[in-house]
Amino acid sequence: LPGSGTAAAQRTLNAAVPSAGTMFMQGFAVGSSRQISNLTGGRTTAFAAADQAFKRLDESTRSQYLLGYSSTNGDWNGAYRRITVKVNRKDAQVLYRHGYAARQEVKPLNRRDYLTYSRIASAANLPRAIDDLKMRVVKTTVESGPDGMRLSVDMRIGPGAVKFARQDGGYLAKVDALYFCADAKEQLVGENWQTLDFKLTEENYQKFMREGVGYTIYVPLKADAKYLKVILYDYGADLVGSAMVELKK
């Protein structure tokens, strides 16, 4: 298409094709749905034609059994208790609820906790870096700590990368973070989950918006590490940032 028609066609194409960020968030949503369905004995059908989805639903609901039992463990401490259901029919696929929280009263799902875990778990399984929340690994050093070897990680969060809430004359924000190390065979050899609590004055908030902020964390190591992956999640803005680093000896 010549002239302005070409530009119009390109704009139409750009609008029709989802961006990488949109596709990534769709992947998050599908991953969250699959986690819920797997834990509760269901199935998730995504990116499939409607007739295939309904056929799968019909096949999955033709043979159902209601099983119940009373636990002999009377300690209602809120701990997660796993359930396993086995059948003696060869090659049968059994869909069932995989566990429950030992509470006498059922409490509603904590949306923040679930969404945080879902976002971080999805980012951990993604083979590429995510730059929606701007961050970077500045320096890594293997050193001796009070409980053995550990990896010292110097981090930097970019200017304005975190969403703050104004409260009591200051600025508050929380960022959930996961740092984990793997060996040459990609086996986990160390991890550290933490929550970064930011409580800034007006002056420090303005400095953060201009320069960002740096900090240091430590990852305990059970063996030599070759890779480090860092994932940060800002629930307030629903943004994720991740980085993968190959460690140098």
Side-chain angles (χ1 to χ4, degrees):
L1 298 176
S4 60
T6 302
Q10 186 61 51
R11 287 195 298 271
T12 301
L13 179 62
N14 291 340
V17 178
S19 66
T22 300
M23 292 296 292
F24 180 64
M25 294 310 294
Q26 288 178 349
F28 263 149
V30 172
S32 299
S33 298
R34 283 183 177 144
Q35 284 182 331
I36 294 174
S37 61
N38 289 339
L39 290 173
T40 57
R43 282 184 169 183
T44 297
T45 299
F47 310 122
D51 57 341
Q52 296 176 349
F54 282 110
K55 180 181 179 181
R56 189 179 186 189
L57 176 64
D58 178 53
E59 293 174 348
S60 299
T61 55
R62 286 188 178 187
S63 299
Q64 298 184 69
Y65 298 87
L66 179 61
L67 305 178
Y69 72 95
S70 296
S71 175
T72 58
N73 186 350
D75 185 9
W76 301 99
N77 57 5
Y80 185 77
R81 298 178 182 175
R82 298 187 182 277
I83 299 173
T84 301
V85 177
K86 297 181 179 180
V87 297
N88 57 9
R89 181 180 298 175
K90 187 178 180 180
D91 299 328
Q93 182 181 10
V94 184
L95 304 176
Y96 61 93
R97 181 179 176 182
H98 288 256
Y100 66 97
R103 299 189 183 98
Q104 288 184 313
E105 295 183 3
V106 178
K107 296 182 179 180
L109 179 69
N110 186 308
R111 184 181 186 277
R112 188 188 193 285
D113 290 347
Y114 177 77
L115 192 60
T116 297
Y117 174 80
S118 176
R119 294 289 195 254
I120 291 179
S122 297
N125 292 321
L126 196 71
R128 64 173 178 83
I130 306 168
D131 61 359
D132 293 332
L133 192 159
K134 305 298 182 183
M135 46 80 82
R136 62 188 176 93
V137 178
V138 178
K139 181 182 178 182
T140 60
T141 307
V142 177
E143 61 184 39
S144 178
D147 299 315
M149 299 305 295
R150 67 184 185 183
L151 182 69
S152 172
V153 184
D154 293 341
M155 295 291 305
R156 188 144 200 100
I157 298 177
V162 177
K163 182 178 180 180
F164 283 82
R166 189 74 184 268
Q167 184 174 327
D168 299 329
Y171 295 85
L172 305 181
K174 283 188 176 182
V175 175
D176 292 280
L178 168 62
Y179 318 85
F180 63 92
C181 296
D183 60 16
K185 296 182 180 180
E186 299 186 0
Q187 298 298 309
L188 184 69
V189 295
E191 64 179 319
N192 183 358
W193 288 74
Q194 66 173 200
T195 299
L196 306 174
D197 284 301
F198 295 98
K199 299 178 181 179
L200 305 182
T201 62
E202 178 69 33
E203 180 182 357
N204 288 334
Y205 171 74
Q206 295 300 333
K207 183 177 180 180
F208 175 87
M209 298 301 288
R210 294 192 308 269
E211 305 174 9
V213 65
Y215 65 95
T216 301
I217 63 97
Y218 302 97
V219 182
L221 297 177
K222 298 182 292 184
D224 291 339
K226 186 174 182 180
Y227 303 103
L228 165 71
K229 187 160 189 177
V230 179
I231 303 167
L232 303 184
Y233 175 60
D234 178 6
Y235 175 79
D238 196 20
L239 293 178
V240 177
S242 70
M244 183 82 169
V245 177
E246 183 172 352
L247 304 174
K248 306 296 183 182
K249 289 188 177 181

